[in-house]
Amino acid sequence: FYAFVGFDVIAASSEEARNPKQAVPIAISISLSLAAGAYILVSTVLTLMVPWHSLNPDSALADAFYRRGYSWAGFIVAAGSICAMNTVLLSSLFSLPRIVYAMAVDGLFFQVFARVHPRTQVPLAGIVVFGGLMSLLALLLDLEALVQFLSIGTLLAYSFVATSILVLRFQKAPPASSPGPASPGSRVKEYHSFSDHIQLVGTEQASAPEPGQLRPALRPYLGFLGRFSRGAAVAWALGILVASAITLACVLAFGDSALHLPYWGYILLLLLSSVAFLLSLLVLGAHQQQRLQDTFQIPMVPLTPALSILLNVSLMLKLSYLTWLRFSIWLLIGLTVYFGYGIWHSKENQREPPELTATRYVVFPSTSLEEVVQPVQPSTQVPAQEPSPTEQPTSP
């Protein structure tokens, strides 16, 4: 598992790449392919050396060499395991301060972690504080507790990433704002023929549906979904998807014996959660998604993120109750920091709402059309102005 989480380092250091749109997907694909290929080859050799049912699960590879009489190779494997543990600590020490730095830059965490060293250009405060915290936990806790604790945090983070992919895929991308050439408060675009004006007016009607809207081909069959406002049906479907995934994972993980349900109740709960999961997937798939041509996007959305959420929750439920207790304490500390500091200092919370705009078309004596987009202000602040004799508004 920890051989595969190494691509976290690639994602955490994407801001330091020269061309992240191209480099990050290639680097992640290469790292996952190398890790998967190495584990498949090692597992193949291991099962051909010794029957799998006779291996020691705590140190399978070293035990296989001991059984075949290569004790010296067992020592090399044991030393490699220690090196692998240090590699996990170093990768966490590399990625965690950069994640904290990004949160601090966005205002979600204390600003002291947003400072970088003037010479080395690294977040020194995050490395010292969280490196010391990691060392303290490694000193006090045993290996099994650390493995499970890191597993539940990683799985929850991946579940949040999968949910965020679904949210972002059905959201409209923010428009790229650029200052206009005419004045700081207006944008002017000139059209030199009447056909350009007709094409401009008809652009909105002929444009493709926005992300979050029902696909045009499915509107005759799913007209009841079109009654919702843009994004409302997607939000409901996403909430039902996450809830049904958690319910289905609980049913599959604990079974009818642990839940103390009769057999018919267990089957009914299994069917209801499965049907709700599939229906929410169909509703999400019926809506228009955001398509970006110049960036890498996850394929087979919403199926891939939904299966990721289901699998991650199922693995989390296999962990011990002590791991859930430790995780709950740390989660409570994180929520306290967020609601006590982050939500009040975040840049997203302090961002001003976008200005309303109005469009008017002005006909000049040179027979050209000019589109002027200006911010809408209350009438009490801006006095009404009469149009000049040289211009005539043709539409509001």
Side-chain angles (χ1 to χ4, degrees):
F1 181 77
Y2 295 110
F4 288 94
V5 300
F7 67 88
D8 261 354
V9 178
I10 301 174
S13 58
S14 59
E15 291 184 348
E16 303 173 26
R18 294 183 178 180
N19 186 10
K21 292 181 180 180
Q22 179 182 4
V24 172
I26 294 177
I28 290 178
S29 302
I30 292 176
S31 64
L32 290 179
S33 300
L34 289 177
Y39 262 77
I40 290 174
L41 293 176
V42 170
S43 300
T44 302
V45 173
L46 183 64
T47 52
L48 291 176
M49 289 174 59
V50 180
W52 63 270
H53 53 80
S54 63
L55 289 171
N56 183 9
D58 293 331
S59 57
L61 196 58
D63 183 61
F65 283 107
Y66 281 127
R67 289 176 180 270
R68 299 295 295 180
Y70 301 105
S71 57
W72 57 270
F75 286 109
I76 296 177
V77 171
S81 301
I82 298 176
C83 295
M85 293 169 56
N86 292 329
T87 303
V88 172
L89 291 176
L90 288 175
S91 64
S92 301
L93 188 60
F94 179 85
S95 59
L96 181 58
R98 283 160 174 79
I99 296 174
V100 173
Y101 166 79
M103 294 173 60
V105 169
D106 291 337
L108 295 173
F109 208 57
F110 305 111
Q111 290 300 306
V112 65
F113 297 105
R115 303 172 184 172
V116 295
H117 194 271
R119 185 173 60 88
T120 59
Q121 296 296 312
V122 295
L124 187 59
I127 293 176
V128 172
V129 172
F130 290 97
L133 184 60
M134 288 168 52
S135 303
L136 182 63
L137 292 177
L139 177 65
L140 298 179
L141 300 179
D142 61 283
L143 181 61
E144 181 69 21
L146 286 175
V147 167
Q148 293 204 14
F149 195 38
L150 185 58
S151 297
I152 193 172
T154 304
L155 292 172
L156 183 68
Y158 291 168
S159 301
F160 278 129
V161 169
T163 307
S164 302
I165 289 173
L166 292 175
V167 172
L168 294 176
R169 185 62 64 90
F170 294 99
Q171 276 187 351
K172 184 179 179 181
S177 58
S178 59
S183 63
S186 65
R187 298 192 303 272
V188 178
K189 190 174 183 180
E190 192 170 329
Y191 300 88
H192 293 283
S193 65
F194 188 74
S195 61
D196 292 339
H197 186 202
I198 297 299
Q199 184 179 2
L200 174 69
V201 174
T203 300
E204 184 177 357
Q205 299 176 356
S207 60
E210 296 180 352
Q213 291 182 342
L214 193 63
R215 297 180 184 270
L218 299 177
R219 287 174 184 173
Y221 309 100
L222 301 175
F224 64 96
L225 292 177
R227 301 173 185 175
F228 293 92
S229 60
R230 186 175 69 88
V234 173
W236 277 100
L238 181 57
I240 295 174
L241 175 69
V242 175
S244 60
I246 296 175
T247 305
L248 181 59
C250 292
V251 173
L252 295 175
F254 300 124
D256 54 347
S257 58
L259 296 176
H260 302 289
L261 292 175
Y263 185 73
W264 64 269
Y266 167 75
I267 297 298
L268 180 62
L269 186 58
L270 182 63
L271 289 177
L272 289 177
S273 56
S274 302
V275 169
F277 185 79
L278 294 177
L279 286 179
S280 59
L281 272 179
L282 293 177
V283 171
L284 289 174
H287 287 78
Q288 191 70 29
Q289 300 181 22
Q290 180 185 152
R291 300 295 182 184
L292 300 177
Q293 300 297 329
D294 58 341
T295 58
F296 173 79
Q297 289 188 311
I298 299 297
M300 293 188 298
V301 174
L303 180 61
T304 304
L307 293 180
S308 176
I309 294 173
L310 179 61
L311 179 61
N312 293 335
V313 175
S314 301
L315 292 175
M316 289 172 65
L317 294 176
K318 295 291 185 178
L319 300 176
S320 64
Y321 70 94
L322 287 177
T323 303
W324 279 93
L325 180 61
R326 300 186 190 101
F327 171 74
S328 301
I329 295 174
W330 281 102
L331 184 62
L332 182 61
I333 295 174
L335 292 176
T336 303
V337 173
Y338 174 71
F339 288 104
Y341 179 86
I343 197 173
W344 307 106
H345 296 82
S346 66
K347 292 182 179 180
E348 190 70 24
N349 188 31
Q350 297 174 358
R351 181 182 300 176
E352 296 180 357
E355 296 179 337
L356 299 176
T357 59
T359 304
R360 61 189 179 95
Y361 301 99
V362 182
V363 181
F364 289 91
S366 61
T367 68
S368 66
L369 301 175
E370 189 173 90
E371 174 194 358
V372 181
V373 183
Q374 292 180 333
V376 174
Q377 297 180 354
S379 57
T380 57
Q381 297 180 5
V382 180
Q385 297 180 357
E386 295 294 334
S388 62
T390 59
E391 61 183 35
Q392 177 185 357
T394 59
S395 64

